[in-house]
Amino acid sequence: MNIPNHLKHKAVIVAEDYDQIDGQYAGDTDAKGLSLGLAQWNERGNVDISAKVWRHTGEKWSRQSEEMPLHRVLDLALLICEAKKHMKEAYRFEKLYDPNVPQIGRIDLQGAAMSVSINTNNEMIDEDLRLFRDRLSMEDELIAERLMRLSEALRDLGHIAK
């Protein structure tokens, strides 16, 4: 399905037919494409690049399509990596988290840090954390493939050692 060109987000680089490879939703998803382009919030003289997930209801382009600055996309990828690392360690030590120390990671960024923690405000955190761990484990093949491709892409860019 062709990504529209008449909307405020100006797609420059596109991945159309994303619905065929959308993880466990492949073949049955409203996410029809991904794009990198000029952000819809741009004002004259201020140009930002954004990533967008294009959703289509079957009848029209959805308002649930989402546009994000590139740094947020990468921050989400970093968050996924920290979550996977924590779950791997938690499995090894047979303990999902310590309620006295909810922080499970720290990613240094921009002279500060993004703290990664277990959401102890969630009243069902023990059950939800087990469900999250189990689902993450079920999706490991899909995620691992994408992380491997990301690692290869970073290596090709020279951002990680060979």
Side-chain angles (χ1 to χ4, degrees), residues 136-147:
L136 190 62
S137 175
M138 288 172 54
E139 294 179 10
D140 191 55
E141 187 175 328
L142 294 171
I143 294 169
E145 178 183 16
R146 285 159 169 80
L147 290 174

Side-chain angles (χ1 to χ4, degrees), residues 104-119:
I104 60 172
R106 175 184 160 94
I107 302 167
D108 294 330
L109 294 168
Q110 293 181 236
M114 177 170 64
S115 295
V116 181
S117 302
I118 301 296
N119 181 8

